[in-house]
Amino acid sequence: MDDDLTTELTERFERYCVTKDHEFPAEVLAELQSMLRLYSISPEALDFKWQAYNMKMGGEENKMDVKTARDFKKTIQDALERESRGKEQHRNDVKRGQPTPRAKGGDMYDMLEGLVPNTPRPSALNGAHGSTVKRKSTFQTPGSKANKAHVMSSPGGLTTPKTEAPASAIFDFASRKNPNEITEQFMQGDIAIPEPPSEEPKEARIKLKANTDMSKFSYRTMAMKLSEASELLDDRIDEFRSILKEATGLDESAFGNPSYPSPNEIIAVGRIASDTSEGKLSTATLVLEGCRRNPWGSGRRVPLNVEQLPSYDFFPGQIVALRGTNASGESFVVSEILAMPLLKAPATKPDELDTINARYLDTPDSDPEHVRPLTIMIASGPYTTDQNLDFAPLHTFLDNAAEAYADSVILVGPFLDAEHPQIRSGDFDAPPSASPDLATMADLFRHHISSAIQTFNKRLPTCNVLLVPSLRDAHHHHAAFPQDKFIKKELGLGAAGKMVQCVTNPLTLSMNEITVGMSSIDILDMLRREELAGGKARHTNFYERCARHMIEQRSFLPLFPPTGREKQQFVPAPVEEKVLKPEAANGERKEGEEAEEEQTPSPFLPLGTMLDTSYLKLGEMLNVRPDILITPSVLQGTIKVVESVLVINPGTLAKRRAAGTYARVIVKPAVINDTEREKGLAVAHKVWERTRVDIVRI
C-alpha cells in the first residue's frame, strides 16, 4: 500500500489505539489497510465510519484493538450486503410489475415451498382484485425483525399477526462508563487544573462585552425579498474582490469575467456552486458563479477545470479568487487559487491588559504572583437523551462547573430540542406549576432549564452564564439564521437572571481581553457532507480544513445553500448505508444495544437550517478574527489551532442513547515583557499559547 496512505492511517487512528512504545499495532494497521482496499475509500472516510460506528455502539468505548477492528470491518461488510440486497430486490419489484395470474395447481412459489422463508411477498397482497392470495404457511412465526431495516423489506401484511415489539434498551445515565474521562486535550506547556480558591470570589472575574450589535437580530422573519437576497450575495463577491485587491496591490485590469472567451490570463472572483441541484459537489458539476455586475461576472456560471491544480478544497457558497484562462469559451481552466486575506488578530494595549489581569484575583488580598487561571465550561445540546426529559446530563454538567468554580459557563442550544421524540410528538407531562390546558414550551423551559440554572447560581453566584439559541429550540420565537436571542423575561430566571446573558446566534464577544466567536450551527458536519477536496488537500486534517474555511470566509455559515434536510441524519453517518449492530446469536439484543427499530433512519426529516439570506451579514466575523472559535457539532469533540485561532468543538452533552462530552477551557493571564511594555503598542493575545482545553466525558 502507498506509504502516504499508511502514514495518514497511522495519524488518524493512533488516538483510538493503545500504543506500546509509540508504535502503532501492526495487526490493527493490517485490518485498516484491508478495509481501504476492499471498500476503495480514503483514510478520512474510514475515520468517519469508525466514529459513526463507535457512537452507534454507545459512544463509551474509544479504544481500537484487533477484535474491535474486525468487528468494525464486519459491520461495514454487513451494511454493504444489506444495501446490495435492497437494490436487487428493488430492481426485481420494478421488473415484476402486475402479478401474473397462475393456473390452479400452483406456480413457481408452490414449487419452492419449504425452500424459502414464509415471508409475505409484495405481490401476495395484490391479487387481481386486491384480495389476499392464500398461502400454505400457518403464519405462526412472524417475519424476522431485521427485515424492517430496509425500506424494500417485505411488509407485515394485513393478515400477518403482529407481536409487541420488545422495549428498547434503556440507557441509564447514572451507570454510564468512564465519566470525567478526558478524550482529547490541547495544551502548550504544563497547565494544571486549578485548585478551588481558599476564599470564594467576591465578584465575577470575567467581564463580558458583546462585539456584535444584537439589536439588529430582531428582524421580522419570513419577509425576505429576493431582490435584497441577490444584492447581498453580489455584494459579498464584490467585497472579497476589494479586500484581495487592497491586500495584494493588484491592478483593476488583472480582474476579469471568467465566462468571456479570451486567451489572456485573468483573476476571477466568484462563488463556488454546483450546476445540479442533486448530489454532492464534484469536478464534473463544479462551476463559478459571478456577480451580476459587469464586467466581473454578468451573473453567469462557468464550468471550472481544476485538473492542473495540485491541491484544491471547494464547497458551495465559497468565495474564491482563481487565476486562469477561458480560451475555448466552454470552461475556465484554473492554474492557481489565490489565498484570501485574513482578518487581523485581536490585540490589546499593555496597560489595559494590566487592568484585566487584576480581575484574576479572587480577593484584593490574593497573591498576584500566584493567580488562579480562568475556567470556562462549554456545553452544547441536546441536554438529555431521546429516552426521557430528565436533563440529567445538564444537571451533572452544572454540578461539575460549580465544583470547578467556573468563571463562565457557555450553554449552546438546543435546550428543548424540537427533534426530541417526546417533544416532537407532544408525549410528555405538563410541568406541575402550569395548567395542563394552558402550558407552553416556555413553561417546560422554566421547569427543566431555568430551575437548574437557578440552583447553579445559588452555588456559584459569581459565574456568568451565556445562553446561545439554536434553530431546533422548540420554545424560541425566532427560527431562522441569523437568530435572535431568547427573551429573558420569559425564561423565569429570577435572581439568577443577573448573571445570565441571552445572546444571539451567532455572536462575537469579549471575555476580558479574549475575543470569542460562537454559533450553534453545525457547520462542521455540513462542510463534511458538501466539500470537494482533491490532491494534497485530501491528506490534511478535516477539522483544520473546515476551521480554515470559516476563518478565510469570515463567516460562521460560509456554506450556501446549507445542507438540505433530506441529507441530514440525527446521528452523523459519513457513509450512505445505515450501520447497524449485529444481533446476538440467539436473536436477543446484547446489553446496552439499541432496538432494531431505533437504529433505522427516522421517518421524520430533521429541521434543517432555515436561512434568511437578506441578513447573512449578521453571520459574519467583523474587524478581527476570534481568539477562540466555538463550533459545536455532532461529530466527535476536538480542538485545533488554525491561524492562531483556538477552534473548539465540545461535542454534544447528550447523544440519542449515550452520554456525550463537554469542553473545559483553562486560560492563564497574559504575560507582557518589558519590550512590549516600553513600546506601549497593542499586544497580540496569543490565547492558544496560555490555554489548556480538555474534551471531557460528562
Side-chain angles (χ1 to χ4, degrees):
M1 176 171 287
D2 187 274
D3 291 340
D4 292 339
L5 291 178
T6 302
T7 302
E8 185 176 359
L9 269 179
T10 304
E11 292 176 352
R12 287 184 174 276
F13 285 88
E14 62 183 356
R15 59 176 173 169
Y16 304 127
C17 301
V18 178
T19 58
K20 185 177 181 181
D21 298 329
H22 302 287
E23 291 186 3
F24 194 86
E27 294 182 345
V28 175
L29 181 60
E31 292 292 339
L32 296 175
Q33 291 173 333
S34 173
M35 283 184 261
L36 292 189
R37 290 191 297 268
L38 285 174
Y39 309 127
S40 299
I41 58 177
S42 65
E44 179 185 35
L46 189 64
D47 185 4
F48 285 122
K49 284 176 181 284
W50 166 254
Q51 292 187 32
Y53 169 79
N54 199 25
M55 295 177 69
K56 272 297 182 181
M57 297 301 289
E60 300 290 351
E61 178 56 55
N62 264 349
K63 301 302 180 184
M64 175 182 283
D65 52 24
V66 177
K67 181 180 181 303
T68 55
R70 289 172 179 170
D71 291 342
F72 172 46
K73 180 179 179 181
K74 183 178 183 303
T75 300
I76 297 178
Q77 182 63 34
D78 292 344
L80 292 175
E81 290 177 358
R82 279 194 297 272
E83 182 186 23
S84 177
R85 288 196 299 268
K87 290 180 179 179
E88 182 64 28
Q89 185 172 359
H90 176 67
R91 287 193 293 267
N92 293 340
D93 289 344
V94 172
K95 292 178 181 179
R96 185 179 298 130
Q98 294 296 325
T100 303
R102 58 177 179 174
K104 185 176 180 180
D107 63 359
M108 58 178 290
Y109 291 104
D110 292 324
M111 293 168 59
L112 295 176
E113 190 73 44
L115 298 180
V116 296
N118 290 328
T119 304
R121 59 190 183 279
S123 60
L125 300 178
N126 300 299
H129 302 287
S131 61
T132 304
V133 179
K134 294 183 179 180
R135 299 186 63 186
K136 295 181 181 181
S137 172
T138 61
F139 293 104
Q140 293 178 350
T141 304
S144 171
K145 181 181 66 173
N147 289 336
K148 296 181 182 179
H150 200 279
V151 294
M152 296 305 298
S153 59
S154 301
L158 300 176
T159 59
T160 304
K162 296 181 180 179
T163 59
E164 288 293 329
S168 61
I170 301 300
F171 168 69
D172 183 11
F173 179 79
S175 62
R176 65 196 183 282
K177 298 179 181 178
N178 305 321
N180 301 321
E181 179 188 23
I182 297 176
T183 62
E184 188 162 343
Q185 185 179 85
F186 171 84
M187 179 168 52
Q188 292 289 328
D190 185 16
I191 302 177
I193 298 176
E195 296 290 335
S198 56
E199 295 184 39
E200 293 189 3
K202 302 302 181 183
E203 58 184 18
R205 299 199 303 160
I206 291 181
K207 182 179 180 180
L208 303 177
K209 178 185 177 182
N211 299 337
T212 300
D213 187 356
M214 293 192 286
S215 62
K216 295 181 179 181
F217 285 75
S218 58
Y219 61 87
R220 186 161 56 98
T221 59
M222 301 188 69
M224 181 174 63
K225 297 179 181 179
L226 292 180
S227 58
E228 293 178 356
S230 60
E231 285 292 336
L232 184 136
L233 295 176
D234 283 343
D235 289 344
R236 184 163 169 80
I237 297 176
D238 288 341
E239 180 184 353
F240 270 85
R241 183 173 56 251
S242 299
I243 292 172
L244 181 66
K245 178 183 174 183
E246 181 180 352
T248 59
L250 290 169
D251 188 78
E252 190 77 16
S253 59
F255 299 90
N257 190 332
S259 62
Y260 289 167
S262 173
N264 299 324
E265 189 176 63
I266 63 166
I267 296 176
V269 180
R271 179 180 293 103
I272 293 295
S274 174
D275 68 352
T276 177
S277 59
E278 298 179 357
K280 186 178 178 180
L281 187 68
S282 67
T283 54
T285 63
L286 187 64
V287 297
L288 184 69
E289 180 180 77
C291 73
R292 295 175 300 170
R293 302 183 181 98
N294 283 323
W296 312 123
S298 307
R300 298 179 181 178
R301 288 183 169 185
V302 56
L304 294 179
N305 185 331
V306 295
E307 294 179 357
Q308 298 181 14
L309 295 177
S311 176
Y312 57 85
D313 187 13
F314 298 122
F315 61 89
Q318 180 183 13
I319 307 299
V320 294
L322 307 175
R323 189 189 303 274
T325 58
N326 186 359
S328 64
E330 296 180 354
S331 64
F332 187 74
V333 181
V334 184
S335 58
E336 181 186 0
I337 302 176
L338 279 68
M340 285 294 182
L342 303 178
L343 288 168
K344 295 180 180 179
T348 305
K349 292 184 177 180
D351 56 343
E352 295 178 4
L353 286 176
D354 290 337
T355 304
I356 291 171
N357 288 345
R359 298 194 191 118
Y360 280 69
L361 302 178
D362 294 317
T363 64
D365 299 330
S366 299
D367 184 3
E369 298 296 328
H370 298 86
V371 296
R372 185 166 58 93
L374 297 177
T375 300
I376 304 171
M377 309 279 274
I378 308 169
S380 175
Y383 290 95
T384 186
T385 63
D386 279 6
Q387 296 177 323
N388 54 53
L389 291 174
D390 64 3
F391 289 88
L394 174 62
H395 290 282
T396 302
F397 171 76
L398 293 177
D399 287 342
N400 293 347
E403 293 173 1
Y405 282 87
D407 297 287
S408 185
V409 167
I410 300 175
L411 299 176
V412 183
F415 296 92
L416 298 183
D417 190 359
E419 294 180 0
H420 190 286
Q422 294 184 20
I423 293 179
R424 183 176 56 221
S425 63
D427 185 19
F428 58 87
D429 296 330
S433 59
S435 170
D437 297 331
L438 302 177
T440 64
M441 285 294 175
D443 294 317
L444 197 66
F445 185 96
R446 288 192 286 267
H447 178 68
H448 289 294
I449 310 298
S450 298
S451 61
I453 295 176
Q454 287 174 328
T455 302
F456 169 74
N457 178 257
K458 291 177 182 178
R459 296 180 61 184
L460 196 60
T462 59
C463 179
N464 293 298
V465 179
L466 278 73
L467 302 182
V468 185
S470 166
L471 300 181
R472 286 162 49 182
D473 273 311
H475 70 290
H476 196 17
H477 70 284
H478 199 288
F481 184 89
Q483 189 177 24
D484 197 10
K485 59 184 180 295
F486 295 139
I487 300 176
K488 185 187 285 190
K489 65 180 181 180
E490 295 181 354
L491 304 184
L493 294 167
K498 181 181 178 181
M499 298 304 295
V500 176
Q501 302 297 327
C502 296
V503 300
T504 56
N505 173 30
L507 174 79
T508 302
L509 80 162
S510 295
M511 304 179 75
N512 289 346
E513 85 282 7
I514 306 168
T515 302
V516 182
M518 61 188 77
S519 172
S520 60
I521 291 291
D522 191 350
I523 187 60
L524 295 180
D525 187 50
M526 287 196 286
L527 285 176
R528 175 181 66 86
R529 298 175 186 275
E530 303 292 344
E531 74 162 353
L532 168 65
K536 296 180 181 179
R538 296 190 61 181
H539 302 291
T540 60
N541 184 274
F542 163 76
Y543 291 103
E544 292 181 3
R545 291 204 308 265
C546 292
R548 193 176 302 278
H549 287 321
M550 296 180 67
I551 296 169
E552 288 182 347
Q553 296 293 301
R554 310 180 179 197
S555 174
F556 290 94
L557 182 59
L559 183 71
F560 185 85
T563 302
R565 299 172 62 193
E566 65 282 353
K567 294 182 181 180
Q568 297 180 5
Q569 302 285 341
F570 284 114
V571 177
V575 289
E576 295 182 357
E577 66 273 7
K578 193 69 176 179
V579 179
L580 305 178
K581 295 179 183 178
E583 295 288 340
N586 58 1
E588 298 179 358
R589 295 193 311 274
K590 299 177 181 178
E591 182 180 359
E593 187 174 346
E594 298 175 12
E596 186 74 25
E597 292 84 358
E598 296 160 352
Q599 297 179 50
T600 56
S602 170
F604 300 96
L605 281 176
L607 294 182
T609 305
M610 291 69 73
L611 193 66
D612 200 315
T613 310
S614 302
Y615 292 89
L616 273 182
K617 191 73 176 176
L618 298 176
E620 295 182 0
M621 303 175 189
L622 303 176
N623 303 324
V624 296
R625 59 182 186 265
D627 292 309
I628 298 176
L629 180 60
I630 302 173
T631 59
S633 175
V634 294
L635 300 177
Q636 181 175 337
T638 190
I639 314 113
K640 297 293 179 185
V641 176
V642 180
E643 300 294 348
S644 300
V645 179
L646 188 58
V647 185
I648 304 174
N649 166 27
T652 58
L653 195 66
K655 305 181 187 298
R656 298 185 65 186
R657 294 293 186 273
T661 58
Y662 65 92
R664 177 176 58 214
V665 183
I666 299 171
V667 186
K668 299 175 68 175
V671 178
I672 310 164
N673 59 42
D674 295 338
T675 303
E676 293 171 337
R677 196 177 295 279
E678 289 175 2
K679 290 181 178 179
L681 301 176
V683 179
H685 297 161
K686 298 182 180 179
V687 172
W688 60 276
E689 291 185 347
R690 51 189 171 99
T691 300
R692 165 179 172 167
V693 185
D694 300 325
I695 303 298
V696 188
R697 291 186 188 276
I698 185 61

